[in-house]
Amino acid sequence: MCGLSTFIRTGFGNHAIPIIFVTNRPFAEGVTQPMMSTMQDEQLSLATLLQYASTFRGDSTVSTWTGDGVRTMTFREMGAESARLANALRGLGIGVGDRVGTFMWNNNEHMVAYAAVPAMGAVLHALNIRLFPEQLVFVANHAEDQVVIVDGSLVPMFAQYLPNMKTVRHVIVANGDAATLTAPDGVQVHSYAELLAAQPSTYDFPVVDERSASGMCYTSGTTGDPKGVVYSHRSNILHAMQVISPSGMGYSEADTVLAIVPLFHANGWGLVYAAMLSGANVIMPDRFLQPGPLLQLMDQLKPTFAAAVPTIWGGVLAQLQAQPQDISHLRSVVVGGAAVPPSMMRAFQDKYGVKLLHAWGMTETSPLGSVAHAPHGLEGEEAMAYRITQGRFPAFVQARIVADDGSVLPNDGVAVGELEVKGPWITASYYAPGGGEVDPDKFDDGWLRTGDVGKITPNGYLTLVDRSKDVIKSGGEWISSVDLENAIMGHPAVAEASVIGIPDEKWDERPLVAVVLAPGATAEAAELREFLTDKFAKWQLPDSWAFIDEVPKTSVGKFDKKRLRASYADGELNVVKL
Amino acid sequence: MCGLSTFIRTGFGNHAIPIIFVTNRPFAEGVTQPMMSTMQDEQLSLATLLQYASTFRGDSTVSTWTGDGVRTMTFREMGAESARLANALRGLGIGVGDRVGTFMWNNNEHMVAYAAVPAMGAVLHALNIRLFPEQLVFVANHAEDQVVIVDGSLVPMFAQYLPNMKTVRHVIVANGDAATLTAPDGVQVHSYAELLAAQPSTYDFPVVDERSASGMCYTSGTTGDPKGVVYSHRSNILHAMQVISPSGMGYSEADTVLAIVPLFHANGWGLVYAAMLSGANVIMPDRFLQPGPLLQLMDQLKPTFAAAVPTIWGGVLAQLQAQPQDISHLRSVVVGGAAVPPSMMRAFQDKYGVKLLHAWGMTETSPLGSVAHAPHGLEGEEAMAYRITQGRFPAFVQARIVADDGSVLPNDGVAVGELEVKGPWITASYYAPGGGEVDPDKFDDGWLRTGDVGKITPNGYLTLVDRSKDVIKSGGEWISSVDLENAIMGHPAVAEASVIGIPDEKWDERPLVAVVLAPGATAEAAELREFLTDKFAKWQLPDSWAFIDEVPKTSVGKFDKKRLRASYADGELNVVKL
């Protein structure tokens, strides 16, 4: 009977499922010995995935946009290039478990790094080039990156940070001139092209324990130091299997996926490994991320699928209105990282026949959590009611709603609380190289506390109301800043709107709306407030308004409410009181 | 450095991949310590899957055909029924690791057993009702089944075997009258309906180690005792994820899957767990497996997907020719378990607009190995050339072709040898409860030797030439019995044809064709041989022919060549020599 308590890992905990799983008593008295299966203990390995992609899926391609054309590499060539990179990295002293950073746009070379580094047993750390300088240096030091691969066009930026990176010993400059980087003592600079040209195109990629590290990403939260998440071979492969399933993105070899979301954001949304698994072709936009170049690229390469945050799609939509273009080659466009205004979803659908696919996830969840496919058989507004939610959870992202007092609420589509999730591609902790725990209160008995506030329907659809720190607590009731933003952004004169809670003597907090008007448009606060009257209760209507030139954004393009709150506190906003 | 040799499990072995993975040297000198990920060690659990299916997928249904209508159960009801069954089984003494047998048709109650038994940590052993009596008793004793759930209509058959089943203590009779079964001393008989009615509809399904047993199947080989394969929670879930992926069957909640393949054949082709994972609806045909009833069922329920062995589809095709019916509601029909004659594939496509999807697998492979989707962009005959192969391998079914001398051959679409496979849902051994090894020569350094002879193209398509024991060795050259059979079955006068090798003094072996003529058709051996002349080399053409009433079949409906060879050896065949 020894060891049984660890063999049976856990019951279902106190899930709020009324019918089946109510109590939490131990399994059975006099329980018998477990029986082991005869199945192979074959590890889920990114080395095995690379081997597959570069042979049986060897004809699939990754292409990098050059501004007026593409550089294309087959997955077969990617396999050979990965072997060259792995040989080169081994030559620089990189072994199993060592961290290799990238400081790159989305391009062929970045995809090769995503493929090769974990396949050789090392750990890919894609550095977010848009982090604030002190954060960027912090994460490179915290992760103990040994080698960093840098795009030539990013060398000037990287050169500012390099002197403060304490563990970096080698820098490899891709797509540019290595001579332009002046390195501190003890750091060697290499040309990617020259370094790889000297290497053999074969490598014995090892199959390591599937729980070992394959990659790292740091959250770019607006408070405190960035926190590291360490993905495993297992988590990346299970996540990729979910991405390609019909309830995820349903990628197949018939797809060509435009990866606008940077590979340094939240595991690159798992695009690289999902493409290798499915044989989907990949298009990398490199540094051409403005709406005009993206539309030019789409016109030429006709992707069937694209992935980016809402701000990118907002820009594309504005550009399309100025200069119409057929984008119906896109069978679907996945949008995540922030809530999508329903008005944007309708505009893409009605004017361009393109279905935005809303998804929810976090760096901590690899990132794919829920995806908003409407239930089968629904059409029109009935379908739209589901498509504007954050989506439906798959089997292996368990989800629950928890009240302030820690009690689990029912998934009845009504009860609102903090979303907690659990599953094999969800982090159990933040990376703590020196031992100890980082931010342990983000975890609740094996569940990740997401910091998102919302509700779940009986059939598994998530609707987020707000971030727990952004929700406005007015007179003991909650007002969703996100709901207000979405409604206000539906007004034709409004380009962007961000809502924060500001202190109020009577109500504790009241909403303040910071509005960016559309180019050439005019609107008064009273008019905008009037526009909201049929959508909200009277007590929820904002009484403080400010017109600003731009909503401050975080390094990943989300509204930075911390900076907006600071601007308000510093008296920098010109507030209209109604 | 301690433990590292087990941490790095294996290199790629001696794969025949020319470009990348050639040598087999150890990974690196002075290799550093592995880095563990921060991901949750959440187990892949059929209990978690059941919880998901019965809540977030609770509106999906399983329906059993009653001959003129259906009994339908939602997945929500299935969850409650599973809890009742688990409570009942616990009451009968079943705990983690104990085997629960089923002796059932495909119906709602069988699906509940598939869901509940592994979810409670016990092991489902679906007994093949068509096994020969001594084999059936052998497998029940070998697996040590404690409880067997039996369909009422199968009680008379089961009653013959029960007295010889040494470990069975309880029999539960579903869909029938328990009083009709007279049990030996020490065996209690229960009514499924009465037993479950007394149970609560909640149960604390435990999450067990994902490598522990979830189910068992025995191979029904034509030689020796049946051999047991023990599936795990992990293997069943990874397999289900592959089944629902676009390169597998691509099930989604939009599908209604007609599960003709018996749940006791090869893990029921993974249909149950794939449906629970995807939310696809399931239709169970119960005992109504003849072409007429199946077509009646299809006419009424309009499945989008169906799965069965070729002999079933041959019968359906013949029935359709006699009595045409629109079956275009089927978006795809998966066929496996034996090679599909291309003529059948064309008939379904050309006359009924239904795409047969050819797949390869074995009891030992859970069973899904390869699936014959044509590469994207190919149409007509170009696509058909791929669709008649055994299909393309997914990433986690590694495959190689091995020569008689044990050397690995290239995947060049030409080299022919024995297929070996490896992966997380492929068995590493046969079940040996008393220790020791069963048939160890079926395993080759971690790979399963499939006993199938074939070739693999560079893009991963498998073409099987024959079973290794059925291939005909004539004058030092190989003749594929399957190729001959497929060609002969393309003749309009031929209903079935089975080819075996018979001893020959000069050539060692020569092919003998056993032909079953289509009803009312006539044909001479010489005419059939003439029909083959433009398809085979002259030395491959069969010179021995026999006309028989029926090809003997195994318990799973495959051609039983052992019995055919015995008939020939016993002089029972009336052989025409050309």
Side-chain angles (χ1 to χ4, degrees):
Chain A
M1 216 47 72
C2 161
L4 191 68
S5 61
T6 58
F7 179 76
I8 300 179
R9 304 262 171 154
T10 167
F12 280 131
N14 41 358
H15 263 71
I17 313 293
I19 304 180
I20 307 179
F21 312 98
V22 174
T23 68
N24 198 15
R25 61 183 184 276
F27 167 64
E29 287 166 32
V31 69
T32 46
Q33 277 300 323
M35 178 186 187
M36 297 313 283
S37 88
T38 61
M39 293 290 114
Q40 296 181 14
D41 195 17
E42 177 74 15
Q43 300 298 289
L44 299 175
S45 156
L46 293 174
T48 307
L49 182 62
L50 173 57
Q51 182 195 32
Y52 174 73
S54 58
T55 53
F56 290 172
R57 294 292 179 182
D59 294 334
S60 298
T61 59
V62 52
S63 302
T64 299
W65 184 247
T66 60
D68 57 1
V70 286
R71 300 187 287 121
T72 294
M73 173 182 264
T74 65
F75 284 6
R76 193 175 298 106
E77 291 163 340
M78 180 182 74
E81 187 88 340
S82 294
R84 286 189 203 99
L85 178 58
N87 280 307
L89 289 171
R90 180 160 63 182
L92 301 181
I94 292 295
V96 168
D98 287 334
R99 271 73 76 198
V100 175
T102 55
F103 194 84
M104 305 174 84
W105 302 107
N106 284 16
N107 53 34
N108 292 358
E109 292 71 22
H110 209 168
M111 178 134 174
V112 168
Y114 250 80
V117 172
M120 71 183 290
V123 181
L124 184 87
H125 178 202
L127 290 156
N128 181 346
I129 63 172
R130 301 202 188 102
L131 279 184
F132 305 110
E134 63 276 22
Q135 289 188 323
L136 192 96
V137 168
F138 172 86
V139 302
N141 289 334
H142 193 259
E144 300 174 83
D145 296 334
Q146 304 286 313
V147 175
V148 182
I149 309 172
V150 181
D151 264 327
S153 63
L154 296 171
V155 160
M157 197 194 303
F158 184 74
Q160 303 170 43
Y161 311 141
L162 181 58
N164 295 318
M165 292 180 173
K166 295 173 187 164
T167 57
V168 175
R169 293 291 164 262
H170 297 275
V171 178
I172 303 173
V173 178
N175 304 308
D177 185 0
T180 59
L181 179 60
T182 308
D185 282 352
V187 177
Q188 288 180 42
V189 180
H190 312 266
S191 153
Y192 181 93
E194 288 171 21
L195 188 66
L196 267 63
Q199 304 295 333
S201 60
T202 64
Y203 190 89
D204 271 328
F205 290 104
V207 173
V208 297
D209 185 298
E210 67 187 38
R211 287 176 184 78
S212 55
S214 59
M216 303 186 73
C217 260
Y218 282 77
T219 62
S220 45
T222 50
T223 53
D225 285 329
K227 289 171 286 187
V229 171
V230 185
Y231 306 110
S232 65
H233 289 253
R234 172 182 169 94
S235 71
N236 265 318
I237 284 165
L238 292 173
H239 178 261
M241 291 180 92
Q242 175 56 30
V243 169
I244 72 168
S245 85
S247 68
M249 307 301 155
Y251 293 159
S252 77
E253 60 160 29
D255 282 306
T256 298
V257 181
L258 173 58
I260 304 174
V261 55
L263 295 188
F264 52 73
H265 278 185
N267 200 23
W269 293 10
L271 279 170
V272 166
Y273 303 129
M276 289 166 66
L277 188 62
S278 63
N281 300 305
V282 178
I283 301 170
M284 298 291 200
D286 204 76
R287 63 190 184 278
F288 304 99
L289 295 170
Q290 297 306 307
L294 284 177
L295 279 163
Q296 188 193 347
L297 176 168
M298 287 198 250
D299 192 43
Q300 197 162 327
L301 303 179
K302 311 287 186 204
T304 63
F305 214 96
V309 292
T311 45
I312 293 274
W313 296 118
V316 166
L317 195 60
Q319 174 79 10
L320 278 170
Q321 278 162 347
Q323 195 174 339
Q325 173 179 322
D326 178 12
I327 56 167
S328 61
H329 47 83
L330 287 164
R331 79 171 169 83
S332 200
V333 163
V334 64
V335 196
V340 182
S343 54
M344 184 190 292
M345 200 169 265
R346 287 178 210 276
F348 267 96
Q349 178 103 37
D350 297 346
K351 294 190 192 157
Y352 305 100
V354 170
K355 203 176 241 186
L356 293 201
L357 187 55
H358 202 189
W360 171 86
M362 308 168 72
T363 300
E364 291 88 338
T365 64
S366 291
L368 197 62
S370 54
V371 182
H373 296 282
H376 176 62
L378 296 190
E379 299 289 342
E381 284 305 307
E382 281 189 315
M384 188 58 87
Y386 283 98
R387 290 184 47 219
I388 61 176
T389 71
Q390 266 67 25
R392 195 175 199 172
F393 287 103
F396 290 97
V397 180
Q398 298 172 67
R400 67 183 189 183
I401 295 295
V402 177
D404 277 354
D405 66 2
S407 61
V408 177
L409 299 174
N411 293 330
D412 58 6
V414 176
V416 170
E418 182 172 8
L419 172 68
E420 296 190 349
V421 292
K422 185 174 166 180
W425 56 87
I426 294 169
T427 202
S429 63
Y430 291 110
Y431 180 52
E437 289 180 292
V438 174
D439 229 346
D441 64 351
K442 293 291 285 181
F443 303 92
D444 173 10
D445 191 26
W447 295 73
L448 171 72
R449 298 179 59 189
T450 64
D452 281 324
V453 171
K455 56 194 177 182
I456 301 176
T457 62
N459 58 350
Y461 283 86
L462 169 70
T463 297
L464 289 186
V465 170
D466 217 329
R467 290 291 294 169
S468 60
K469 63 180 186 295
D470 293 336
V471 78
I472 297 153
K473 284 151 188 160
S474 173
E477 297 286 342
W478 284 4
I479 302 175
S480 162
S481 68
V482 173
D483 284 354
L484 283 173
E485 288 163 2
N486 283 340
I488 297 163
M489 285 193 276
H491 190 285
V494 176
E496 283 182 340
S498 181
V499 175
I500 57 173
I502 56 173
D504 185 276
E505 280 194 11
K506 183 171 179 192
W507 303 105
D508 292 333
E509 277 191 341
R510 290 295 299 159
L512 175 144
V513 188
V515 175
V516 179
L517 291 174
T522 56
E524 297 293 326
E527 173 190 347
L528 295 177
R529 182 186 156 107
E530 175 66 25
F531 178 71
L532 301 177
T533 50
D534 60 345
K535 302 176 183 74
F536 293 89
K538 191 149 179 262
W539 63 269
Q540 293 176 316
L541 294 176
D543 19 41
S544 299
W545 297 74
F547 291 85
I548 58 177
D549 294 335
E550 192 181 1
V551 175
K553 308 272 192 337
T554 69
S555 61
V556 295
K558 296 182 192 181
F559 288 177
D560 189 343
K561 297 194 180 182
K562 193 177 72 164
R563 280 164 66 198
L564 198 57
R565 285 190 197 97
S567 295
Y568 173 78
D570 295 347
E572 292 170 9
L573 298 184
N574 192 2
V575 178
V576 180
K577 285 272 181 187
L578 294 180
Chain B
M1 216 47 72
C2 162
L4 191 69
S5 61
T6 59
F7 180 76
I8 300 181
R9 306 262 171 153
T10 166
F12 280 131
N14 40 1
H15 264 71
I17 313 294
I19 303 180
I20 307 178
F21 313 98
V22 174
T23 67
N24 198 15
R25 60 182 185 276
F27 167 62
E29 288 167 31
V31 70
T32 46
Q33 276 300 322
M35 178 186 186
M36 297 314 283
S37 89
T38 60
M39 293 289 115
Q40 296 181 12
D41 195 18
E42 176 74 15
Q43 301 296 288
L44 299 174
S45 155
L46 293 174
T48 306
L49 181 61
L50 173 57
Q51 183 195 31
Y52 174 74
S54 59
T55 53
F56 291 172
R57 295 292 178 181
D59 294 334
S60 297
T61 59
V62 52
S63 303
T64 299
W65 185 245
T66 61
D68 56 2
V70 286
R71 298 187 287 122
T72 294
M73 174 183 262
T74 65
F75 284 7
R76 193 174 298 106
E77 292 164 339
M78 180 181 75
E81 187 88 341
S82 295
R84 286 190 203 97
L85 178 58
N87 279 306
L89 290 170
R90 180 162 61 182
L92 301 180
I94 292 295
V96 168
D98 286 335
R99 270 75 74 197
V100 175
T102 56
F103 194 84
M104 304 174 87
W105 302 107
N106 285 16
N107 52 35
N108 292 357
E109 292 72 23
H110 208 167
M111 179 135 174
V112 168
Y114 250 80
V117 173
M120 70 183 289
V123 182
L124 183 88
H125 178 202
L127 289 156
N128 182 346
I129 64 171
R130 302 204 186 101
L131 279 184
F132 305 109
E134 63 275 20
Q135 289 187 323
L136 192 95
V137 168
F138 172 87
V139 301
N141 289 334
H142 194 259
E144 300 173 82
D145 296 334
Q146 304 286 314
V147 174
V148 182
I149 309 171
V150 181
D151 264 327
S153 62
L154 296 170
V155 161
M157 196 194 302
F158 184 74
Q160 303 171 43
Y161 311 141
L162 180 58
N164 295 316
M165 293 180 171
K166 295 172 189 164
T167 57
V168 175
R169 294 291 163 260
H170 297 276
V171 179
I172 303 173
V173 177
N175 304 308
D177 184 0
T180 60
L181 180 60
T182 309
D185 282 352
V187 177
Q188 288 181 41
V189 180
H190 311 266
S191 153
Y192 180 94
E194 289 170 20
L195 188 65
L196 267 63
Q199 304 296 334
S201 60
T202 64
Y203 191 91
D204 270 327
F205 290 104
V207 173
V208 297
D209 186 299
E210 67 186 37
R211 286 176 183 78
S212 55
S214 59
M216 302 186 73
C217 260
Y218 282 77
T219 63
S220 45
T222 50
T223 54
D225 286 328
K227 289 172 287 188
V229 171
V230 185
Y231 306 110
S232 64
H233 289 253
R234 171 183 169 93
S235 71
N236 265 318
I237 284 165
L238 292 173
H239 178 261
M241 291 181 92
Q242 174 56 29
V243 168
I244 72 167
S245 85
S247 68
M249 306 302 156
Y251 293 160
S252 76
E253 61 160 30
D255 282 306
T256 298
V257 181
L258 172 58
I260 305 175
V261 55
L263 294 188
F264 52 73
H265 277 184
N267 200 22
W269 293 11
L271 278 170
V272 166
Y273 304 129
M276 288 166 66
L277 188 62
S278 63
N281 300 305
V282 178
I283 302 171
M284 298 292 198
D286 204 76
R287 63 191 186 276
F288 304 98
L289 295 170
Q290 296 306 307
L294 284 176
L295 279 162
Q296 189 193 345
L297 177 167
M298 285 197 251
D299 191 42
Q300 198 163 327
L301 303 179
K302 313 284 186 208
T304 63
F305 214 96
V309 293
T311 45
I312 293 274
W313 296 118
V316 167
L317 195 59
Q319 173 80 9
L320 278 170
Q321 277 160 350
Q323 196 174 338
Q325 173 178 323
D326 178 13
I327 56 167
S328 61
H329 48 82
L330 288 164
R331 79 172 169 82
S332 200
V333 163
V334 63
V335 195
V340 182
S343 54
M344 182 189 293
M345 200 169 264
R346 286 178 211 276
F348 268 96
Q349 177 104 39
D350 297 345
K351 293 189 192 159
Y352 305 100
V354 171
K355 203 177 242 188
L356 293 201
L357 187 56
H358 202 189
W360 172 86
M362 308 167 72
T363 299
E364 291 87 337
T365 65
S366 291
L368 197 63
S370 53
V371 182
H373 295 283
H376 177 63
L378 296 189
E379 299 289 342
E381 285 305 307
E382 281 189 314
M384 188 59 86
Y386 283 98
R387 290 185 45 219
I388 62 175
T389 71
Q390 267 66 26
R392 195 175 200 173
F393 288 104
F396 290 95
V397 180
Q398 299 173 65
R400 66 184 191 183
I401 295 295
V402 177
D404 278 353
D405 66 3
S407 61
V408 176
L409 300 174
N411 292 332
D412 58 5
V414 176
V416 170
E418 183 172 8
L419 172 67
E420 295 189 351
V421 292
K422 185 175 167 179
W425 56 85
I426 294 168
T427 202
S429 64
Y430 291 110
Y431 179 53
E437 289 180 292
V438 174
D439 230 346
D441 65 350
K442 294 290 286 179
F443 303 93
D444 174 10
D445 191 27
W447 296 73
L448 171 72
R449 296 180 59 191
T450 64
D452 280 325
V453 172
K455 56 194 177 184
I456 300 175
T457 61
N459 58 350
Y461 283 86
L462 169 70
T463 297
L464 290 185
V465 170
D466 218 329
R467 292 289 295 167
S468 59
K469 63 180 187 293
D470 292 336
V471 78
I472 297 152
K473 285 152 189 162
S474 173
E477 298 286 343
W478 284 5
I479 302 175
S480 160
S481 67
V482 174
D483 284 355
L484 283 173
E485 287 162 2
N486 281 341
I488 296 161
M489 285 194 277
H491 191 285
V494 176
E496 284 183 339
S498 181
V499 175
I500 57 173
I502 57 173
D504 185 276
E505 281 196 9
K506 185 172 177 192
W507 303 107
D508 293 333
E509 277 191 341
R510 291 294 299 160
L512 174 144
V513 188
V515 174
V516 179
L517 291 175
T522 58
E524 297 292 327
E527 175 190 344
L528 295 177
R529 182 185 156 109
E530 175 66 25
F531 178 70
L532 301 177
T533 49
D534 60 345
K535 301 176 185 73
F536 293 89
K538 192 149 178 262
W539 63 269
Q540 294 176 315
L541 294 176
D543 19 40
S544 299
W545 296 73
F547 292 86
I548 59 177
D549 294 335
E550 194 182 357
V551 175
K553 309 273 191 337
T554 68
S555 61
V556 295
K558 297 182 190 181
F559 288 176
D560 188 343
K561 297 193 178 182
K562 192 178 72 163
R563 281 163 68 196
L564 198 59
R565 284 189 197 97
S567 295
Y568 173 78
D570 294 347
E572 291 170 9
L573 298 183
N574 191 2
V575 178
V576 181
K577 285 274 181 186
L578 294 179

